Amino acid sequence: MLRQPILLLSRSDRVKRLVATLPVTSGIVTSYVPGETTEAAVAATADLVDADLKITLDFLGEDTFDVEQADATVAAYVELLRQLTTKGLPRHAEVSVKLTAIGLLLPDHGHKIALENARTICRAARNAGTTVTLDMEDHTTTDATLAILRDLRKDFPETGAVLQAYLHRTEQDCRSLAYEGSRVRLCKGAYAEPESVAFQDKIDVDKSYVRCLKVLLAGEGYPMIATHDPRMVEIASSLASRYGRAQKTYEFQMLFGIRPEEQKRLAASGETVRVYVPYGQEWYGYLMRRLAERPQNLSFFVKSLISKR
Ligand SMILES: Cc1cc2nc3c(=O)[nH]c(=O)nc-3n(C[C@H](O)[C@H](O)[C@H](O)COP(=O)(O)OP(=O)(O)OC[C@H]3O[C@@H](n4cnc5c(N)ncnc54)[C@H](O)[C@@H]3O)c2cc1C
């Protein structure tokens, strides 16, 4: 019930100004975001690698309407990849990129600028020996994201995509992307979407998630099963064995700070588990989406806001 209002607040500048004054060290933020700097992100990566986990790093930011900010985001990814290389981590860590953070929404030539910026990051990732996955944002960007993915894959076929099971279109998108070498991260979807494009009830989203899992696991690509839902994890495991998939031909993915014990349990059972590690100063939108998924955390959040006063 609270999900839609919280997601709407995630786009409010007024609330953002209030919440953004929270120090990153406040409990609720650090439970989801290990830090604001590249160094903090690399240190968190090294700790997760020690726990036998893989990583994908996200430099936080989205909905950029400013060319310089888009350029700064590209530079941040290039620097991140440099620091990962220095520490010998690219074998374990890739990067996740939001196209609206690197120019997709810019009024003049946004599509072209985002594509060129994504190419720069893909090139830096390849030079470092790792890969890029394009995050999926709200449904108004789905077509553009998939078009940019198609272009990028001509030169960088290792580039991954995200599909969101709450969208009506996604089962078909899974069919289109279930080809050899195609890395597809399947998540439920985190944005406030209208009934015209997305399932609204959890049960319908879960059923769609299972249908999409079947398409991806039966297909030729590399499915990345991104969920914390114990039922989805169990169903994915049994579908993987039904379709004769060996453990290293797919992976599980979870967000930093969510069900860390389950992440370790799955890794210990031989599964590849990748943790999505967001970092940077622009944590507001990300945090609000996590709160929307788990309104129980709201009281914790409001206490953090009150105690800073
Ligand atoms: C690696 C990864 C990448 C993602 N990338 C994208 C993307 O590009 N685009 C996009 O729209 N969405 C993305 N998401 C978010 C995703 O769409 C969901 O919003 C999110 O994962 C919650 O859905 P769930 O499958 O975990 O199931 P849910 O049914 O929401 O949750 C299942 C269980 O997980 C636990 N849980 C879930 N959320 C939280 C939380 N915030 N805090 C604490 N416990 C929690 C609870 O135990 C809950 O009962 C990504 C998720 C992951 C794991």
Side-chain angles (χ1 to χ4, degrees):
M1 210 172 60
L2 281 169
R3 184 169 177 270
Q4 297 281 346
I6 300 172
L7 287 174
L8 290 177
L9 284 183
S10 76
R11 295 236 150 130
S12 153
D13 278 344
R14 244 175 95 209
V15 180
K16 180 178 177 181
R17 277 197 296 278
L18 171 69
V19 174
T21 57
L22 267 178
V24 75
T25 46
S26 72
I28 190 69
V29 183
T30 46
S31 60
Y32 292 120
V33 178
E36 293 192 329
T37 63
T38 309
E39 289 72 17
V42 172
T45 300
D47 288 347
L48 292 164
V49 168
D50 286 345
D52 218 9
L53 296 162
K54 303 284 183 198
I55 293 89
T56 183
L57 288 133
D58 165 36
F59 178 67
L60 289 163
E62 53 201 272
D63 296 349
T64 300
F65 291 97
D66 183 280
V67 180
E68 278 159 26
Q69 203 179 332
D71 289 346
T73 298
V74 176
Y77 275 105
V78 172
E79 172 58 15
L80 169 67
L81 287 157
R82 191 191 66 76
Q83 290 197 28
L84 289 172
T85 304
T86 308
K87 304 269 180 199
L89 292 169
R91 208 158 50 87
H92 307 282
E94 62 134 39
V95 295
S96 286
V97 176
K98 285 187 175 49
L99 291 176
T100 71
I102 57 170
L104 185 64
L105 303 181
L106 289 172
D108 292 323
H109 312 296
H111 188 103
K112 191 163 164 265
I113 293 169
L115 174 60
E116 282 316 307
N117 282 339
R119 271 191 213 287
T120 304
I121 300 171
C122 285
R123 207 171 297 116
R126 182 180 284 173
N127 289 341
T130 189
T131 50
V132 174
T133 297
L134 298 183
D135 279 345
M136 192 57 88
E137 304 177 69
D138 72 62
H139 78 279
T140 62
T141 64
T142 309
D143 281 329
T145 304
L146 293 178
I148 288 179
L149 176 80
R150 272 193 300 278
D151 272 346
L152 283 174
R153 281 188 173 178
K154 289 177 194 154
D155 295 324
F156 304 98
E158 66 275 24
T159 307
V162 177
L163 295 176
Q164 298 151 315
Y166 64 14
L167 294 184
H168 300 147
R169 61 179 286 167
T170 294
E171 190 179 345
Q172 188 49 46
D173 287 334
C174 287
R175 287 185 207 290
S176 308
L177 289 181
Y179 57 85
E180 197 177 340
S182 167
R183 297 189 308 115
V184 178
R185 170 187 299 158
L186 179 66
C187 66
K188 289 190 187 177
Y191 295 81
E193 298 288 18
E195 237 174 304
S196 53
V197 297
F199 299 109
Q200 304 292 310
D201 293 340
K202 177 175 161 51
I203 179 80
D204 293 323
V205 177
D206 287 357
K207 283 184 188 164
S208 170
Y209 196 95
V210 174
R211 287 194 299 275
C212 293
L213 272 177
K214 285 183 179 165
V215 174
L216 294 175
L217 286 164
E220 303 288 317
Y222 182 80
M224 305 185 280
I225 303 155
T227 181
H228 314 95
D229 187 334
R231 243 182 103 233
M232 295 303 121
V233 170
E234 206 183 305
I235 292 172
S237 300
S238 56
L239 285 174
S241 32
R242 190 201 293 176
Y243 294 121
R245 287 238 173 206
Q247 276 182 326
K248 302 295 171 198
T249 64
Y250 62 92
E251 67 183 46
F252 287 101
Q253 299 191 339
M254 295 192 189
L255 301 176
F256 178 85
I258 304 184
R259 304 198 71 208
E261 293 312 315
E262 175 65 359
Q263 295 170 12
K264 288 183 199 145
R265 184 195 71 78
L266 280 169
S269 74
E271 300 288 5
T272 302
V273 181
R274 191 174 301 274
V275 182
Y276 185 103
V277 176
Y279 73 99
Q281 295 180 342
E282 292 291 323
W283 42 260
Y284 173 73
Y286 180 86
L287 175 69
M288 296 303 270
R289 288 195 289 278
R290 300 298 74 81
L291 289 176
E293 281 150 17
R294 198 149 170 89
Q296 297 96 301
N297 287 345
L298 259 188
S299 63
F300 192 40
F301 175 58
V302 172
K303 277 187 210 135
S304 311
L305 270 178
I306 293 169
S307 67
K308 86 173 174 68
R309 296 180 153 248

